Amino acid sequence: MSEETLSNLLKEDRRFEPPAEIAEHANLRAEAYDRAAQDPEAFWAEQAERLSWDEKWDRVLDWDDRPFAKWFVGGRLNASYNCVDRHVEAGRGDKVALHWIGEPEDDTRDLTYAELKDEVSKAANALTELGVGTGDRVAIYLPMIAEAVIAMLACARIGAPHTVVFGGFSSEALSSRLVDCQAKVVITSDGGYRRGAAAALKPAVDEARAKSSAQGHTVEKVLVVRRTGQDVEWNDDVDVWWHDAVDAASTEHTPEAFDAEHPLYVMYTSGTTGKPKGILHTTGGYLTGTSYTHWAVFDLKPETDVYWCSADIGWVTGHSYMVYGPLANGATQVMYEGTPDSPERGRWWKIIQDYGVTIFYTAPTAIRSFMKQGREIPDRYDMSSLRILGSVGEPINPEAYIWYRQVIGGDRTPVVDTWWQTETGMIMISPLPGVTRGKPGSAMTPIPGVSAEVVNEAGDAVPNGSGGYLVLTAPWPSMLRTIWGDDERFIDTYWARFRDQGYYFAGDGAKKDDDGDIWVLGRVDDVMNVSGHRLSTTEIESALVSHPKVAEAAVVGAKDEDTGQAVCAFVILREEAGDGGEDIVAELRKHVRQEIGPIATPRQIMIVPELPKTRSGKIMRRLLKDVAEHREVGDVTTLADSSVMDMISEGIDSGKAED
Ligand code: WTA
């Protein structure tokens, strides 16, 4: 974000008081900030009491072996029991856990907590039958169907860490994850519905399995949900239908208690190198953090609220705020399979109206796309049930915030702009709806129990009114425990930058305004944020370079009105490839789609004769960003060859670039 936009942002002086009604009955009040700060461990112990433990912990936090934390040491619990059984035992078995809504109209399924318990138990029995034991990894590659939730909880129930791979990722991306975590079983479906059509998933699993075998890893079984009914290739040795294995299984299953630090799941996310990082979350701390934040930040009243988080289950938001947080809290929620505009543009708003949704959580990129379509569409629906709106994934610009509040929230609803990461597992910085005077564009302050700071290069807190790096200064229960199989990378990536202070470095830049409230500005490393999804510049560069015609590639995230940032690639072709041929740009875009997935497809590819590099050979992405954002190119004095930027500009003017 440029300095100019930044100062505009900080001039923002609109404030929104918490509505009296919400303030009066708020789950968490202003006193919690001080109470938590005075004795954080006591505060977290109090939050852990929200859960059912088979054995209570002896120690809240073991932080001796930094940065490897252990929370609720000695405690034992089962995450699936906490999300399902205990609500049934408490007499709430008839309460709806999931209002599942398929993309095709009238394709819906309500699951009560009692039904969910039966489904999860059956799936747990089926997985055991397939040979999955405690500690084995299970990959889940599913569309947004109820079985995705059931599968995750079934894994948790038997202590088999799951790794959910976003259904939009390619077979290549899937296979690299299968190999990295050595997944024994994959749970998938024939396909899913998107934009009115059935899109296949199973073929990608077949390919990924073959690719994994080529790398010496065998996926033993593939459990396949029938969703679309499309034809699938079948291998009797490996493939098993969900409806055969799960439907036949018993609804009786006794959940075993696991150690609080037992691995719950691995979620892959993009880092600054080409290889995605497997973020490891464990059981007790993660569930404590997600349950607490879901209750506090959304002020959840489980008896009356209908909650809806529009995130895909393949991302951390789907894990923390669709599965573990809300279900641990016994919430009733909506889960929607498809796209917002299918079969019509008002589909989301119709769902809010039909189901009486009271809390809605989505991403700024979605809000901006609705703004573009105009308020006439949401205005057709009665959304007066809404009381709290949430935003996540990228900075929300004040215009989008105001539109969200006014048009979707009828100017009644607080907007909670929640900052967090795959690594943090839970919301860290956010307004509290019953306490905070909201400022459009600011995530405000760390929530009670969390300690964050904005620091300079030396690790010192910056004064109000200044910017710097966002760090977390104390451990929190749902923090990542490591990067799967790579402790060194865990230390280097998050804990080396401010080693002396012992701070966790989030990779984001932020500014504190004159009141000390935090404005998150975005990544300061080579991670892009496209439509709220994290992508690594290096990962896309590696994908491009793996194409036979490409010699070198540099990728930058350029500002984009709709998606926040967009992928822009600069490519040097190999000499023998000549000019690459007429369709080179389309060919390369397709290649990236295949290597990673549609979300990584470059908006723009520019074929250039040279790339700007420093004398030590480092690509100067800053200059490429200037080009991609149509700005005058900045300071070029450190370039090894200062004529390069002219060559690039000329190359672009002469064609071979495509939007
Ligand atoms: C960005 C998604 C500004 C940030 C939960 C972070 C945000 C990255 C916000 C994590 C927000 C997330 N305001 N930026 N409210 N929320 N981000 O791991 O750059 O997919 O580091 O987790 O998204 O993305 P991730």
Side-chain angles (χ1 to χ4, degrees), residues 269 315-317 361 391-396 417-423 429 443 506-508 520-523 529 532-534:
T269 187
W315 308 107
V316 75
T317 308
Y361 193 27
S391 167
V392 61
E394 52 179 318
I396 180 165
D417 173 10
T418 63
W419 177 88
W420 60 294
Q421 308 178 299
T422 304
E423 292 86 342
I429 303 177
D508 279 316
V520 180
L521 305 173
R523 306 291 305 194
N529 192 326
H533 298 146
R534 267 166 79 165

Side-chain angles (χ1 to χ4, degrees), residues 72 92 146 188 215 308 549 600:
F72 308 111
R92 294 191 295 271
T188 188
Q215 291 177 61
W308 180 19
K549 289 185 185 165

Side-chain angles (χ1 to χ4, degrees), residues 391-419:
S391 167
V392 61
E394 52 179 318
I396 180 165
N397 45 313
E399 301 71 51
Y401 177 113
I402 298 286
W403 191 90
Y404 193 27
R405 186 187 151 97
Q406 291 182 339
V407 177
I408 305 304
D411 215 5
R412 304 174 309 278
T413 55
V415 173
V416 288
D417 173 10
T418 63
W419 177 88

